[in-house]
Amino acid sequence: MINFQYARPNEVADAVRQIAADPRARFIAGGTNLLDLMKSDVEQPSRLIDISRLPLKSVEETPDGGLRIGALVPNTDLAYHPLVESRYPLLASAIMAGASQQLRNMASTGGNLMQRTRCYYFYDIATPCNKREPGSGCSAIEGLNRMHAILGTSESCIAVYPSDMSIALAALEATVRVMGPGGERTMAFADFHRLPGDTPERDNNLEPNEIITAIELPPQGFAKNHSYLKIRDRLSYAFALVSVAAALEMDGEAVKEARLALGGVAHKPWRVEAAEAALAGQPANEASFAKAADIVLSGAKGFEHNAFKIDLARRAIIRTLTQAANGTPQSQSSKKIR
Amino acid sequence: MVRTIEATRPISESIPTPPKIKVSLKINGDLKQLQIAPWTSLLDLLRDTLDLTGTKKGCDHGQCGACTVLVDGRRVNSCLTLAVMKDGSEVTTIEGLMADGKLHALQQAFIDHDAFQCGYCTPGQICSAAGLLAEGKAHTAEEIRELMSGNICRCGAYPNIVAAIQQAMSAMGGNS
Ligand SMILES: Cc1cc2nc3c(=O)[nH]c(=O)nc-3n(C[C@H](O)[C@H](O)[C@H](O)COP(=O)(O)OP(=O)(O)OC[C@H]3O[C@@H](n4cnc5c(N)ncnc54)[C@H](O)[C@@H]3O)c2cc1C
Ligand code: SF4
Ligand code: FES
Ligand code: FES
């Protein structure tokens, strides 16, 4: 790590002023991603603005019956919050599928959204990487790309976005509240993260002088029919190769409304509305689920070491939708996939 | 193939060396007034400055759990914690678990069940298990395994670690 200055503002507005004043400053919340990157010299901030004590730690019901989650609510507290457990169990499950309990105790809601890719080359400053050093090239396209994306890739970057929590937030159609020098604005979750295109150095649409203040969930929580299935190289404490968040509103044996989001396959949580629309009104059976999976994966493209992800994703989608329809969500402690 | 670039990044630009920062921490019950550089991890502070070498450094990147300590009662990875950010907190390390000259129930249980071989991961395992007991979310062996997955044991003592935690859990009145 290099030298950096340290500041601890007491108010959100002050934190925004400080970040706006210094383009090389970074916020630090839980520190679990930023410090890791600083130890590898991938991030070299001039100043750390410690936001961990800002008053953004509450989980509150909103007037419309939804939930507002402060950006500094730790991942563990969010997963165990009674309102999340009872009304948004898909979110609780996705959080518990990620990292370890120690890391979840430290990690914040906002930091989780902002976490950067785990692409090995991004972490290794001796190799070219367009995300870390725009214009230097992508080492993964013809390199070791087993963990990389199969959807939405570009010629400049094939990295995946690694968050589990965000896959559930995408399926639940959360909203992100941010504050900048000009005041507050909100972004639909689908508009928050970006595809790499020719600007892979930008992971998302948060401006450099903005802070995430909260995530808001709409009232509909899909508490009865949901599942988060995460497929990885070991049973716990590993990033997803493929993960699926499924949420259904059932009408007897038929699907009334469906939400489907994939992790581990793209530079952002992957949602295809046409696949969700194709499920509406259909019987909840393997044929309908397979059709939806085919729509989701229609544009998928594998690279030398990750082509297996396409079929893995297809099967994971069918399995997760089946779990959701049956009301038997994947348990995050028993790893048996039923 | 991709071209290789030299490590051209400015590793140390002209950022002035920041002053050390005053921090007070209660460590294993003792209040410490310290002056620390902002980049000092809680792990390095414990081991290098305070000579509390029970807490181990395995990976220094959050990947192994050897550095697990309790901060205000919650288990965290001290390698990814900046000490300055914890000003005013209470830290408990393996050295602080004993009370009244008696081993903590978890320490005794790890001995009873032979829950280690080389012992390198053990302080982190025990502090993590202390956090787990305080959380009260694990009831079955399966749940213990999942909620202890942040502690890697290279010797593979896992079955005995789970048995030790179950013993401590029932000794302390939890159900298992
Ligand atoms: C070994 C290991 C395994 C992991 N496994 C998983 C996994 O399986 N699944 C998973 O989902 N995650 C996993 N993680 C990642 C972990 O979830 C993230 O590191 C964590 O969520 C980041 O949150 P934080 O508060 O610690 O962020 P920080 O490290 O504090 O910040 C990360 C970034 O977000 C910015 N930031 C933080 N808060 C805000 C805000 N309010 N507004 C604007 N910018 C902000 C910071 O400036 C920084 O750039 C793992 C991490 C490690 C180290
Ligand atoms: S995939 Fe993206 S992050 Fe990985 S080396 Fe290529 S440009 Fe960098
Ligand atoms: S040393 Fe901290 S997790 Fe490995
Ligand atoms: S006892 Fe050797 S690493 Fe666990």
Side-chain angles (χ1 to χ4, degrees):
Chain A
M1 282 198 267
I2 59 163
N3 288 349
F4 57 82
Q5 305 281 327
Y6 172 79
R8 192 194 293 150
N10 294 320
E11 284 167 29
V12 175
D14 196 20
V16 170
R17 260 194 303 279
Q18 292 193 24
I19 199 98
D22 182 356
R24 292 195 49 208
R26 290 284 181 279
F27 292 132
I28 184 163
T32 60
N33 191 221
L34 186 58
L35 289 175
D36 190 23
L37 291 165
M38 285 168 67
K39 289 181 185 197
S40 303
D41 283 327
V42 176
E43 289 273 9
Q44 302 191 0
S46 56
R47 168 187 292 265
L48 288 188
I49 303 170
D50 177 359
I51 58 172
S52 65
R53 299 184 191 208
L54 293 181
L56 301 172
K57 287 193 181 153
S58 60
V59 178
E60 284 162 21
E61 289 186 84
T62 54
D64 70 349
L67 210 60
R68 177 176 304 154
I69 302 156
L72 290 165
V73 175
N75 288 180
T76 314
D77 298 26
L78 185 56
Y80 290 148
H81 194 284
L83 287 175
V84 175
E85 280 186 329
S86 61
R87 285 172 42 196
Y88 305 95
L90 175 66
L91 176 59
S93 181
I95 294 171
M96 293 308 288
S100 68
Q101 192 78 332
Q102 288 96 316
L103 289 161
R104 292 188 293 263
N105 278 343
M106 305 165 75
S108 65
T109 306
N112 193 318
L113 239 65
M114 295 292 289
Q115 65 174 292
R116 309 212 65 190
T117 185
R118 309 301 289 201
C119 170
Y120 340 101
Y121 303 104
F122 176 68
Y123 264 80
D124 178 359
I125 62 163
T127 60
C129 165
N130 286 325
K131 186 180 276 299
R132 175 169 35 75
E133 196 81 64
S136 63
C138 170
S139 300
I141 291 177
E142 291 176 34
L144 295 173
N145 46 35
R146 184 169 182 275
M147 65 185 285
H148 289 74
I150 52 170
L151 288 159
T153 54
S154 75
E155 279 170 17
S156 46
C157 180
I158 61 170
V160 302
Y161 169 62
S163 166
D164 289 295
M165 182 186 84
S166 291
I167 309 308
L169 290 175
L172 293 169
E173 293 193 341
T175 311
V176 186
R177 279 188 103 81
V178 311
M179 169 99 91
E184 257 200 309
R185 67 179 177 121
T186 58
M187 269 186 270
F189 208 80
D191 300 332
F192 186 80
H193 294 99
R194 294 163 60 99
L195 288 180
D198 53 12
T199 53
E201 66 276 17
R202 288 199 69 181
D203 294 349
N204 55 56
N205 290 315
L206 189 79
E207 296 299 332
N209 57 10
E210 288 178 322
I211 187 171
I212 301 170
T213 54
I215 306 289
E216 283 179 4
L217 291 172
Q220 193 181 11
F222 299 92
K224 258 174 91 181
N225 295 95
H226 65 90
S227 185
Y228 186 74
L229 177 63
K230 179 176 180 184
I231 312 286
R232 50 199 140 168
D233 281 331
R234 57 183 189 201
L235 287 178
S236 185
Y237 200 15
F239 287 94
L241 287 167
V242 167
S243 72
V244 184
L248 301 174
E249 204 60 61
M250 301 294 291
D251 184 2
E253 301 291 296
V255 175
K256 197 165 144 214
E257 188 186 347
R259 300 278 180 78
L260 190 59
L262 267 66
V265 296
H267 200 263
K268 62 185 289 188
W270 196 259
R271 246 187 98 192
V272 178
E273 280 175 26
E276 297 174 357
L279 280 167
Q282 297 302 306
N285 60 28
E286 189 168 337
S288 316
F289 299 156
K291 217 165 99 192
D294 288 337
I295 298 174
V296 171
L297 295 163
S298 57
K301 170 181 161 215
F303 295 84
E304 186 180 355
H305 304 288
N306 74 349
F308 73 95
K309 279 193 181 185
I310 301 175
D311 193 42
L312 185 61
R314 185 173 185 278
R315 284 180 284 125
I317 291 169
I318 296 170
R319 182 58 62 103
T320 317
L321 283 167
T322 307
Q323 292 176 327
N326 292 344
T328 53
Q330 178 62 40
S331 155
Q332 301 304 350
S333 48
S334 161
K335 304 295 168 158
K336 291 201 182 72
I337 298 173
R338 293 174 212 277
Chain B
M1 245 324 267
V2 284
R3 75 191 168 86
T4 44
I5 50 164
E6 287 173 33
T8 49
R9 318 201 85 226
I11 295 298
S12 192
E13 263 182 25
S14 55
I15 297 158
T17 305
K20 291 197 170 179
I21 296 170
K22 252 204 193 140
V23 171
S24 73
L25 285 168
K26 201 176 221 184
I27 297 182
N28 297 332
D30 294 340
L31 191 63
K32 306 261 183 200
Q33 306 288 351
L34 303 154
Q35 296 272 354
I36 44 187
W39 53 80
T40 312
S41 69
L42 179 58
L43 175 60
D44 288 345
L45 177 78
L46 291 170
R47 290 183 54 85
D48 300 346
T49 310
L50 300 174
D51 242 4
L52 291 168
T53 53
T55 308
K56 300 296 185 236
K57 184 183 281 191
C59 64
D60 215 20
H61 285 278
Q63 298 174 359
C64 75
C67 65
T68 305
V69 300
L70 302 168
V71 174
D72 297 327
R74 286 161 74 109
R75 45 180 166 156
V76 300
N77 303 93
S78 60
C79 69
L80 291 183
T81 302
L82 286 183
V84 284
M85 290 177 68
K86 296 297 160 195
D87 187 18
S89 296
E90 289 193 25
V91 179
T92 307
T93 69
I94 189 71
E95 289 92 343
L97 284 181
M98 246 175 103
D100 307 325
K102 266 188 71 188
L103 291 181
H104 186 279
L106 278 163
Q107 292 172 307
Q108 188 58 52
F110 268 61
I111 294 170
D112 295 346
H113 287 271
D114 212 3
F116 44 80
Q117 289 178 38
C118 76
Y120 197 83
C121 71
T122 313
Q125 298 278 3
I126 292 179
C127 286
S128 185
L132 171 120
L133 294 183
E135 289 155 14
K137 298 288 180 182
H139 304 292
T140 64
E142 213 164 47
E143 288 164 349
I144 293 174
R145 275 197 290 275
E146 171 59 21
L147 290 174
M148 286 295 292
S149 74
N151 294 81
I152 307 285
C153 175
R154 198 184 59 168
C155 300
Y158 298 112
N160 299 13
I161 292 171
V162 173
I165 294 172
Q166 283 177 308
Q167 173 180 313
M169 220 174 227
S170 42
M172 296 171 70
N175 42 352
S176 177

